[in-house]
Amino acid sequence: MLVGCRTARHFVKSTARRFIEQKRLESLTTGNGMSSPSSTHANTAPVVQSHFAHRPQHVSSAPSRSMEIDDQNGVQHYPMLLNVTHIDMTSRADDIRAGLIDTFLNLERVDKNLYLARHLLKGRNSLPVVYGGQVIGQALSAATATVEVGFVPNSLHSYFVQSGNVERPILYQVDRIRDGKSFCTRLVKALQDGEAIFTVQISFHRPEADSIVHQLPMPEVPAPDSLEDLSDTFERIKKNANIPPAALAMIGFKQKEIPPAFFRIFSFRPVDIDSYLCLKKDDHTAGHGHPTDAYRSYVWIKANENIGDDPRLHLAAAAYISDATMIETALRPHSKRGFIPSMALTLDHSIWMHTDNFRVDDWMLYENHSTIAGGGRSLIEGKLWTRDGRLVFSTTQEALIRTAKNRPNASPAK
């Protein structure tokens, strides 16, 4: 969930601005220079109409600011490059849509294929670490800004390399791997202090007519209107004197560590709150001491306000959401029996985007299923459904889950 979450790593002092200057000099020596805003989107005629066909351009394409000279070493740089706006999703007078645009789409174009993000979001209150879902969404926005109108992202495969610091900006470097008639490929590297913290390869597809068509049925679960919002559930259950220790610990952790604005922006309604909060007793009918459905979860999710019609914003917000519940799906059955991880973080995250025709301000069901854990790693699969039963995202995530040294594992060994 957090970008690497390796809080012990020391950030080196090389600066992002020198990296930008290096790329500018390389561009000048190869004769590429700055690209015209209109050149990227010339002569585009999508075969099938897409929601991306007339996307507004929120990513800034303004000319780069004037250069200054560093008096210490004579190297040119962009002034005030390291200024960061550390946001809590309450920017612009508590306008949720504007806050989400700041979070995902308002990247500063500092040079060809280079985009800077200054609006950064914590994943946990106690750590100065950037939330991994935001980095996925921003990298997707940066890559989208470099493809022709009419192409829609169809998949991404990402790796979290090391932790990102919310006190420093993130520079997104886009490598245009290929531009084809039907598909485009981009490789995006997120950098801080000249070092990679995240990499992702993204494929874009020009929509085309169906050939074969099929889809698994959506799981039959209670409707979101019949369920309680997670933030309300926390307050209600905490008043129960007989609450199990594992449930109390989980509630305490979430209330302490999850930024309050997260629940202000999004509503989360678990389908089975007893299972979600470790209130339900195991029946011990399956292998390894857990019931067969213990490693599966269903949560209804939506943005609390209308966020507009820009499909890029809905895709970025959905990518952000897709990172929110996967690790805990793998951990929950073990935590219920006393396991306390010393480290739990995302190693890699993949998304297959089956359509861009959905809205995150409508209820969506996120289904997670952890299929295996061992050797310090766990695999979790996900499916994101619209309320009317359309599968819009398929996801996978590998997580690193460690226990403290010399601490016995409370979950049965495999």
Side-chain angles (χ1 to χ4, degrees):
M1 189 181 302
L2 302 178
V3 181
C5 199
R6 297 179 176 89
T7 56
R9 297 190 67 94
H10 177 68
F11 290 93
V12 299
K13 294 185 177 181
S14 58
T15 65
R17 65 193 180 197
R18 291 181 183 175
F19 175 81
I20 295 174
E21 175 56 13
Q22 178 183 352
K23 298 302 293 184
R24 172 178 280 273
L25 292 175
E26 290 174 359
S27 176
L28 291 174
T29 57
T30 58
N32 290 333
M34 294 292 290
S35 63
S36 166
S38 61
S39 62
T40 304
H41 303 296
N43 301 321
T44 60
V47 176
V48 178
Q49 183 67 23
S50 163
H51 287 267
F52 271 52
H54 304 287
R55 65 175 186 260
Q57 297 299 315
H58 287 294
V59 177
S60 173
S61 59
S64 300
R65 64 188 72 187
S66 60
M67 305 288 285
E68 294 183 351
I69 300 296
D70 187 327
D71 294 334
Q72 185 175 5
N73 52 30
V75 177
Q76 290 180 319
H77 64 86
Y78 289 90
M80 298 179 66
L81 185 63
L82 299 183
N83 283 2
V84 175
T85 303
H86 177 207
I87 65 169
D88 63 356
M89 283 187 168
T90 59
S91 59
R92 299 206 217 166
D94 291 337
D95 183 319
I96 288 180
R97 177 176 175 271
L100 289 174
I101 289 174
D102 282 345
T103 302
F104 300 116
L105 301 187
N106 274 355
L107 307 180
E108 178 184 354
R109 183 184 183 277
V110 295
D111 207 337
K112 182 179 181 180
N113 302 329
L114 293 175
Y115 298 87
L116 195 68
R118 303 176 189 271
H119 303 279
L120 302 179
L121 177 67
K122 276 187 175 183
R124 290 176 57 177
N125 285 325
S126 63
L127 298 175
V129 178
V130 183
Y131 181 68
Q134 183 187 21
V135 179
I136 295 173
Q138 288 181 339
L140 177 60
S141 296
T144 301
T146 69
V147 302
E148 292 183 350
V149 173
F151 281 88
V152 180
N154 64 284
S155 68
L156 65 81
H157 306 278
S158 65
Y159 289 89
F160 294 88
V161 181
Q162 59 178 314
S163 59
N165 189 339
V166 293
E167 304 301 332
R168 304 189 68 79
I170 298 177
L171 181 70
Y172 293 94
Q173 175 189 353
V174 182
D175 191 354
R176 306 185 187 212
I177 302 297
R178 182 177 185 272
D179 287 309
K181 294 181 179 180
S182 298
F183 289 90
C184 296
T185 305
R186 297 292 185 265
L187 179 63
V188 184
K189 186 185 296 184
L191 302 114
Q192 281 190 327
D193 297 325
E195 290 194 348
I197 63 171
F198 170 87
T199 65
V200 59
Q201 185 162 309
I202 306 174
S203 174
F204 294 82
H205 180 213
R206 192 186 295 278
E208 56 186 75
D210 293 333
S211 54
I212 61 173
V213 177
H214 65 260
Q215 178 197 288
L216 292 174
M218 179 181 179
E220 295 183 5
V221 299
D225 301 331
S226 66
L227 301 172
E228 188 177 34
D229 202 72
L230 188 58
S231 56
D232 296 331
T233 302
F234 286 165
E235 298 303 322
R236 176 179 59 82
I237 292 183
K238 282 178 63 176
K239 299 176 183 178
N240 183 353
N242 298 320
I243 183 173
L248 188 62
M250 179 177 290
I251 293 174
F253 174 83
K254 288 182 176 293
Q255 289 189 316
K256 176 184 176 182
E257 293 291 357
I258 297 178
F262 189 79
F263 290 112
R264 188 183 67 83
I265 302 295
F266 296 104
S267 290
F268 278 72
R269 297 187 179 181
V271 168
D272 186 348
I273 193 63
D274 289 344
S275 176
Y276 185 85
L277 292 180
C278 303
L279 299 172
K280 183 184 295 183
K281 293 183 178 180
D282 286 345
D283 59 15
H284 307 293
T285 57
H288 312 299
H290 299 300
T292 54
D293 62 347
Y295 303 99
R296 192 181 298 272
S297 67
Y298 303 92
V299 181
W300 288 102
I301 306 172
K302 81 173 184 71
N304 288 327
E305 294 180 8
N306 185 313
I307 65 170
D309 299 324
D310 187 341
R312 295 176 307 152
L313 186 55
H314 290 270
L315 280 168
Y320 171 92
I321 289 171
S322 74
D323 188 41
T325 62
M326 301 190 84
I327 290 181
E328 64 185 38
T329 300
L331 270 175
R332 190 176 297 113
H334 302 279
S335 299
K336 190 174 179 179
R337 305 188 68 187
F339 175 75
I340 301 176
S342 63
M343 180 179 292
L345 55 90
T346 301
L347 293 173
D348 58 72
H349 189 85
S350 296
I351 306 174
W352 290 264
M353 304 161 185
H354 310 305
T355 179
D356 67 322
N357 184 20
F358 65 87
R359 301 183 64 93
V360 296
D361 48 18
D362 290 335
W363 283 111
M364 307 189 75
L365 180 69
Y366 197 25
E367 173 188 1
N368 288 171
H369 183 207
S370 181
T371 55
I372 188 170
R377 293 175 289 117
S378 180
L379 183 68
I380 310 100
E381 300 173 353
K383 295 181 178 66
L384 186 64
W385 308 83
T386 60
R387 188 169 183 173
D388 60 1
R390 293 181 297 113
L391 180 61
V392 296
F393 274 18
S394 296
T395 62
T396 62
Q397 183 174 104
E398 187 178 41
L400 178 66
I401 300 175
R402 286 176 172 164
T403 184
K405 293 182 178 180
N406 301 323
R407 176 186 295 171
N409 189 335
S411 293
K414 293 192 176 182

